[in-house]
Amino acid sequence: MPLRRLVVSTALMASVVFLTFAALVISGRLPVWPAVVACLVVVGLHALLLRAFLDGLTRIRTGVEEILVEPERAVPVVRSSSPAVNDLWLAIMRLTRAWRHRIRGLEIELAGSNAVLAALPDPLILVNERREVVRQNAAAQALFGDHVLRRDLAVALRQPTLLAAVDAVVAGGGGRLVEFELTSPVERHMTARIDPLPARTEDGVILLVSLHDLTSAKRAEQMRADFVANASHELRTPLSTLVGFIETLQGPASDDEEARVKFLAIMQQQASRMARLIEDLLSLSRIEMNEHQPPTTPIAVVAVLRHVGQTLEMKAAARGMPIEYDIADEQAQVVADADELAQLFQNLIDNAIKYARPDTAITIGVGPSRRFKDGLAIKVRDRGEGIPRTHLPRLTERFYRVDTARSREMGGTGLGLAIVKHIISRHRGLLEVDSEMGEGTTFTVHLRGSMPGAAALPPPAPKSDENRVIG
Ligand code: ADP
């Protein structure tokens, strides 16, 4: 404790007593010497009292400074002969404990918020008032890389609408939402929410840009709209034919027996087309609904295949097409849904009958899969004209046809291979299509022998002259 402070404080406190004694001496009521002695006693007593008090205050100041330098260290002990100093130190200790508790709470809260920020699947960018990227979460880092940090937001997102909105928020405007398209590395539809923070953070962040990728949602929306448009078009065509014939039969041809027989046959054909379409649409939605649940029952595949082959034998025979079998193991089993498996084979064999040249054989083969260990490869091979390479990747799309007129003429709905694809996907299998122009087409379905840990084999090297697609 500095001596000067003690002297000044003592002098100040004792000044009233000095003045009183001085007045008494001057007025002659007190002799000089007793007054001097009394003054010295008073000064001594004040100095003693003040020394303890000031000493305690100095220790408190040192203790508080130690806590500020090292907030986590143990609270130093301050004891003084002055009760006021001890009480003050106790209050400071309580304040320190409450302060530490609050800081710990805030640290936990901050760690939680940072973890949430990092784990958010949507990219988040924190921006300062110079529009620089100060921080970003893992999703944004994956999208833009680390080089955007400490640089203008325009380096990551060169989007005039977005940048204008950010500038407006920097200038003090409220939060806003903008929609824009990214063209590289791949085309994406995005929305960005720009929100000002309630207060500027220590590292200068004043606003938050959160991005949301709308690409899948937009694509799904487009697919749904296309599907509805296609399905209604497919239904409307036979329906308008039916309405047309009904009107003709009710009007001009009401008494024409020959026309009636002819038209009724066409009407029946169109009604069956509508029924087939509705049936296929229902199958597709049923399969899609269960697609997340793979089947669990082992099924003897060859029996299912032979049964389907038998039901289609007449149709094949009508086009002079024998159905031949090339079966490696009659007892072969796969984990499958028997009804869906039958529908899958039915669609593939039916297509072979519809699209291959008349008087050629259809071969159904069963052998080990090159794709799944212990799996089976089921092949349906025809000797048709083949499918041009450009069409192969889109064959399993709903309503996609190589030759629409031929498909309609053969009673096709355009949904057969889409159904095949979804059944295979539910079975966690694979579809391969090999086609050579003028030679024919082979659809190969790879199914797993046992569902859970069935391992996939490395993909076989493709034959160079092959026209093939794998899905
Ligand atoms: P569709 O009801 O028209 O047969 P699919 O979805 O079953 O519909 O088949 C889609 C298209 O793929 C068919 O329209 C046809 O053009 C072509 N296709 C399917 N299987 C064969 C095949 N074995 N040979 C040639 N083309 C085929």
Side-chain angles (χ1 to χ4, degrees):
M1 181 200 31
L3 185 66
R4 216 178 111 241
R5 185 174 295 169
L6 179 66
V7 173
V8 172
S9 307
T10 310
L12 278 175
M13 281 196 66
S15 55
V16 180
V17 180
F18 285 154
L19 290 174
T20 314
F21 281 122
L24 287 173
V25 170
I26 291 166
S27 64
R29 293 198 193 152
L30 194 68
V32 176
W33 279 112
V36 170
V37 172
C39 273
L40 286 175
V41 171
V42 168
V43 166
L45 282 173
H46 271 94
L48 269 179
L49 282 174
L50 273 173
R51 189 169 167 275
F53 188 69
L54 289 176
D55 189 44
L57 284 185
T58 309
R59 279 198 222 160
I60 285 178
R61 199 192 65 200
T62 317
V64 168
E65 272 166 5
E66 280 174 19
I67 292 169
L68 285 176
V69 171
E70 241 183 294
E72 283 311 312
R73 61 170 283 165
V75 179
V77 179
V78 171
R79 246 186 232 115
S80 162
S81 50
S82 156
V85 168
N86 287 337
D87 284 353
L88 183 62
W89 185 242
L90 280 177
I92 289 174
M93 282 208 304
R94 275 202 298 276
L95 182 70
T96 308
R97 254 179 247 123
W99 172 61
R100 282 180 178 174
H101 184 72
R102 180 93 186 99
I103 287 186
R104 235 167 271 136
L106 286 173
E107 277 171 355
I108 291 168
E109 232 171 82
L110 187 70
S113 307
N114 281 341
V116 170
L117 200 79
L120 276 180
D122 282 340
L124 275 179
I125 301 175
L126 294 107
V127 176
N128 66 14
E129 63 193 350
R130 289 191 302 279
R131 217 178 66 182
E132 290 166 346
V133 177
V134 179
R135 272 184 277 155
Q136 57 182 350
N137 72 349
Q141 189 193 24
L143 191 61
F144 306 116
D146 270 337
H147 70 280
V148 298
L149 286 174
R150 294 277 144 218
R151 299 176 74 181
D152 187 3
L153 182 65
V155 174
L157 290 159
R158 194 168 288 281
Q159 290 298 325
T161 7
L162 170 77
L163 296 174
V166 170
D167 288 342
V169 176
V170 170
R176 42 207 79 198
L177 185 74
V178 286
E179 204 171 320
F180 60 93
E181 278 178 28
L182 279 185
T183 45
S184 83
V186 280
E187 203 178 297
R188 289 162 191 253
H189 292 268
M190 315 274 289
T191 54
R193 269 201 69 86
I194 304 134
D195 289 305
L197 295 191
R200 176 204 179 98
T201 63
E202 236 178 64
D203 52 0
V205 173
I206 59 158
L207 64 87
L208 182 77
V209 181
S210 44
L211 302 166
H212 183 60
D213 195 342
L214 291 179
T215 319
S216 322
K218 287 247 179 207
R219 207 172 285 153
E221 201 179 294
Q222 187 57 45
M223 274 171 67
R224 205 181 50 234
D226 288 351
F227 177 68
V228 171
N230 279 326
S232 26
H233 172 75
E234 294 288 334
L235 281 169
R236 206 178 291 133
T237 317
L239 190 63
S240 30
T241 314
L242 276 175
V243 171
F245 280 119
I246 290 168
E247 281 168 5
T248 316
L249 284 175
Q250 282 173 334
S254 57
D255 298 324
D256 186 340
E257 181 57 24
E258 197 185 327
R260 198 176 65 86
V261 173
K262 194 172 141 202
F263 291 172
L264 278 175
I266 300 172
M267 286 164 72
Q268 195 203 13
Q269 206 183 30
Q270 295 302 317
S272 326
R273 186 174 151 193
M274 286 175 77
R276 267 198 311 278
L277 188 65
I278 289 166
E279 210 168 287
D280 276 359
L281 285 171
L282 289 174
S283 291
L284 201 56
S285 82
R286 216 177 16 246
I287 297 160
E288 271 186 314
M289 240 159 58
N290 292 328
E291 214 166 313
H292 62 286
Q293 287 174 325
T296 49
T297 337
I299 300 287
V301 194
V302 181
V304 178
L305 260 174
R306 285 195 187 276
H307 178 72
V308 174
Q310 265 166 19
T311 59
L312 289 168
E313 235 159 42
M314 293 256 288
K315 191 174 177 183
R319 303 196 73 226
M321 302 170 90
I323 299 178
E324 295 168 353
Y325 293 90
D326 176 11
I327 311 283
D329 174 8
E330 283 287 335
Q331 311 307 324
Q333 289 201 331
V334 282
V335 178
D337 177 310
D339 290 341
E340 287 188 1
L341 220 53
Q343 192 170 7
L344 188 164
F345 299 144
Q346 149 108 23
N347 289 2
L348 292 181
I349 302 169
D350 192 49
N351 275 354
I353 299 171
K354 283 191 300 191
Y355 300 112
R357 273 191 296 268
D359 305 317
T360 55
I362 294 166
T363 311
I364 297 170
V366 178
S369 166
R370 290 179 301 163
R371 293 307 197 121
F372 300 119
K373 195 168 173 285
D374 302 327
L376 278 189
I378 300 117
K379 290 177 189 281
V380 177
R381 180 178 171 211
D382 66 52
R383 278 87 176 169
E385 292 308 328
I387 304 169
R389 180 189 287 266
T390 46
H391 294 286
L392 292 181
R394 299 194 59 192
L395 274 192
T396 55
E397 280 177 26
R398 290 150 200 224
F399 300 114
Y400 188 83
R401 289 142 162 145
V402 177
D403 180 345
T404 308
R406 177 147 172 70
S407 160
R408 294 237 166 91
E409 181 199 325
M410 301 304 292
T413 59
L415 292 173
L417 290 181
I419 292 175
V420 164
K421 181 180 106 173
H422 284 282
I423 293 176
I424 294 178
S425 148
R426 186 184 166 212
H427 286 71
R428 309 296 185 255
L430 275 172
L431 175 69
E432 280 178 7
V433 189
D434 296 290
S435 194
E436 276 179 54
M437 297 309 290
E439 292 293 318
T441 307
T442 304
F443 284 85
T444 308
V445 180
H446 294 271
L447 293 174
R448 293 165 191 264
S450 57
M451 222 44 186
L457 296 173
K463 289 184 233 149
S464 57
D465 57 346
E466 233 169 18
N467 207 0
R468 131 187 303 219
V469 72
I470 296 165

